[in-house]
Amino acid sequence: MDTQDKETSPVWQFSARAQALSGSAIRDIVKKISQRPEVISFAGGLPSPATFPIDTIRAAFDTVLSREGKAALQYSPTDGYAPLRTWIADTLSTNGARITPEQVLMVSGSQQGLDLLGKVLINEGDPVIVETPTYVGALHAMGIYAPRFVSIPMDEEGLNPAALPEVMKRCGGRASFLYTIPTFQNPTGRTLSHARRVALVEQAARQRLLVVDDDPYRLLDHAGTTYQTLLSMSPAAVVHLGSFSKILAPGIRLGYVVAPLALAQKLEQAKQGADLHTSTLTQMMAYEVIKDGFLDTHLPASRKIYAAQCAAMLQAMEQHFPRGATWTKPTGGMFVWATLPAGIDAAQMLDAALKENVGYVPGGPFFAEAPSPNTMRLSFATVTPEKMREGIARLGKVIAASQAVK
Ligand SMILES: Cc1ncc(COP(=O)(O)O)c(C=O)c1O
C-alpha cells in the first residue's frame, strides 16, 4: 500500500522558514536550457570543463589513498585538514597581514560559508547590505534567515563606499554586515578599484561594520594581475570567502571561510550541526594537488581560455548588439552584464531568445530591491569563440526585434 488513509497519515507542516523558500529562478532557467543542447547558452555560472585538471586530480586521489587511505576515508575535524588550512592562511598573508590557520574554516563550497554566516550573524529583520546587483545565490542562502536586504549602489568601479553613511542611515545605524564580491563580481564582472578598496575599509571601520568579502574569481584575471584582498587590508574587520570551484573544479565542493577567531569558532560550531566536516578525502586531494605550485602553471592556462572567450564575446557584442545597449568590459572572471535599451524586459524576451537557440539569465533576480528589468547576465565561460560569435549574433537580432516591437 503506498497511500495512507486520513486516520493514520502523519500530520506535518512546513516551518515558516520553509514556506518562505522558493527555488532559484536562475537554476530553473539554466536547467531548462541545459536540456536543449542545440541552445548556445550564456546562462550558466559554470566554469569551463576545459580547465578541469582531471588527470592531476585522479593522480592526487591515488597518491592520497595509497599513502594514507585510512585517514583519508575517516571522519576528521570540523575546522578542516590542517595542512590545507595552513596553506590557505599563508597564501592569504599578503601585504603585511598575518592570517593564522585557526582563522580558516574549510567548508563544502563557499556557498556553505554564506549559509553559515547567515546562521550565526543574522536575526530576523536585521539589515544586511548588498551590492546592487549581487550574487543571487547569496540572496538565497542568507534570505532563509530573513534579513532586510539594503542595497548599496555600484558603478563601473564597483560599489561606492561614499554611499555607505547614507546606506547605514537606511539600516537604522547598524547592519549585520556588508556583503561584497570585489573582484570580477557575479553578475556584473566589475572590479572594485584599489582606491575604493581603501575607502571601503576606512568607511566600514568608521561605521563599525563587518565586511564579508566573497572572492571566488580574483585569480581569474586575464593578464594575471593580482588584486589586494580586503582581508589583507583589515583582517580584524573582514570575513573572506574563498573557493576551489573556479580554480580547480566545482564538483569537488571545496571552499573556505577566513574570519576573526571568535567568529571562525562560532561558524565551526554551526558547521558541526550542518555536516560534521567537509570531505576528508577531497581536502587531502586538493592539498596534494596545490602544495607544490600546481596553480602557478594551471591558472595561466585557464586564464588564456577565459581571456579568448571574453574577447570574442565583447567583440561580437560590439558588432551585433543594437545601439542603446551598454555592457561591462571585464578583465577577468566569467561574466558580462548588459543593460538593454529602456523598455525591453529581459525576462519576457527569454522565450524569443530560446526560439533562436540562445540563452542568458535575465538580470531581475540579482537585485535585492528595485530590479532593472532591462538587464541580463552573460557568461562567457563555457562557450568557444566560434560559437560565441554565432550566439551573440542571434541574441543581437532578438534584442533588435524586441526593440522594434516597443
Ligand atoms: C560570488 C559567488 N559566491 C559563491 C559562489 C559559490 O561557490 P562554491 O562553488 O564555492 O560554493 C559562487 C558560485 O558561482 C559565486 O559566484
Side-chain angles (χ1 to χ4, degrees):
M1 196 176 82
D2 56 5
T3 53
Q4 286 178 303
D5 63 33
K6 271 196 177 143
E7 311 260 295
T8 57
S9 64
V11 177
W12 62 272
Q13 62 178 21
F14 288 123
S15 64
R17 199 183 310 112
Q19 284 176 35
L21 268 182
S22 61
S24 152
I26 292 177
R27 280 202 152 233
D28 292 347
I29 292 171
V30 173
K31 193 169 159 200
K32 196 164 126 190
I33 293 175
S34 69
Q35 286 155 355
R36 292 184 42 195
E38 69 280 15
V39 173
I40 298 178
S41 176
F42 305 121
L46 312 181
S48 168
T51 67
F52 299 161
I54 298 173
D55 292 339
T56 309
I57 287 179
R58 185 191 296 114
F61 271 129
D62 203 36
T63 304
V64 165
L65 286 168
S66 309
R67 192 181 59 209
E68 41 196 335
K70 286 184 178 156
L73 296 174
Q74 189 54 281
Y75 285 118
S76 62
T78 303
D79 50 16
Y81 180 52
L84 184 57
R85 293 168 74 210
T86 302
W87 184 91
I88 291 165
D90 290 348
T91 306
L92 289 172
S93 293
T94 54
N95 304 298
R98 173 86 189 97
I99 308 299
T100 66
E102 292 71 35
Q103 289 176 260
V104 180
L105 173 69
M106 298 309 303
V107 285
S108 305
S110 58
Q111 189 69 24
Q112 183 180 47
L114 290 167
D115 175 58
L116 297 177
L117 283 166
K119 206 172 258 178
V120 309
L121 291 174
I122 300 173
N123 284 314
E124 198 176 323
D126 281 351
V128 167
I129 302 171
V130 293
E131 291 165 334
T132 183
T134 188
Y135 169 48
V136 70
L139 294 176
H140 196 182
M142 301 187 293
I144 291 170
Y145 303 102
R148 176 163 70 88
F149 288 117
V150 178
S151 302
I152 185 160
M154 294 183 97
D155 59 23
E156 291 314 307
E157 272 186 74
L159 71 77
N160 183 2
L164 197 55
E166 194 51 44
V167 171
M168 284 301 280
K169 263 193 218 148
R170 283 184 58 212
C171 295
R174 202 202 74 85
S176 299
F177 52 85
L178 177 149
Y179 170 74
T180 176
I181 307 146
T183 312
F184 310 130
Q185 196 229 23
N186 181 0
T188 64
R190 288 174 183 145
T191 292
L192 193 65
S193 65
H194 183 75
R196 288 228 178 142
R197 285 174 199 240
V198 174
L200 172 60
V201 165
E202 274 173 18
Q203 278 286 355
R206 214 166 289 149
Q207 305 285 343
R208 307 196 60 190
L209 177 65
L210 182 69
V211 173
V212 173
D213 161 11
D214 190 3
D215 195 33
Y217 302 105
R218 181 171 43 92
L219 298 176
L220 294 184
D221 182 277
H222 296 158
T225 304
T226 46
Y227 293 86
Q228 196 171 344
T229 61
L230 296 174
L231 179 75
S232 71
M233 293 173 158
S234 185
V238 172
V239 177
H240 180 90
L241 289 168
S243 174
F244 287 97
S245 291
K246 311 298 181 331
I247 58 173
L248 287 183
I252 65 172
R253 308 308 304 127
L254 190 61
Y256 48 91
V257 186
V258 182
L261 201 54
L263 178 51
Q265 285 165 350
K266 189 52 81 180
L267 290 166
E268 180 189 343
Q269 290 165 10
K271 185 174 161 71
Q272 275 168 19
D275 64 354
L276 299 181
H277 64 81
T278 294
S279 159
T280 321
L281 175 61
T282 299
Q283 293 183 74
M284 291 170 93
M285 175 280 289
Y287 179 67
E288 187 61 29
V289 169
I290 61 179
K291 70 183 169 60
D292 295 322
F294 171 74
L295 292 176
D296 297 342
T297 51
H298 179 64
L299 286 175
S302 302
R303 288 177 188 132
K304 211 166 144 188
I305 292 172
Y306 289 130
Q309 291 174 185
C310 181
M313 177 175 270
L314 294 175
Q315 207 178 32
M317 288 174 84
E318 220 42 85
Q319 199 179 342
H320 296 289
F321 268 34
R323 271 159 62 119
T326 57
W327 54 90
T328 56
K329 315 253 173 359
T331 52
M334 294 174 20
F335 305 109
V336 171
W337 180 252
T339 305
L340 306 179
I344 296 183
D345 184 326
Q348 276 177 15
M349 199 181 73
L350 186 60
D351 277 343
L354 290 176
K355 269 198 201 115
E356 296 300 321
N357 288 334
V358 60
Y360 61 86
V361 178
F366 295 94
F367 293 85
E369 305 174 288
S372 300
N374 60 329
T375 53
M376 58 167 63
R377 188 192 71 179
L378 300 172
S379 164
F380 54 79
T382 51
V383 183
T384 59
E386 297 69 43
K387 287 234 160 172
M388 190 74 75
R389 285 182 270 278
E390 174 59 28
I392 292 291
R394 287 182 201 167
L395 191 52
K397 268 193 211 140
V398 173
I399 299 168
S402 302
Q403 204 174 10
V405 170
K406 297 289 150 198

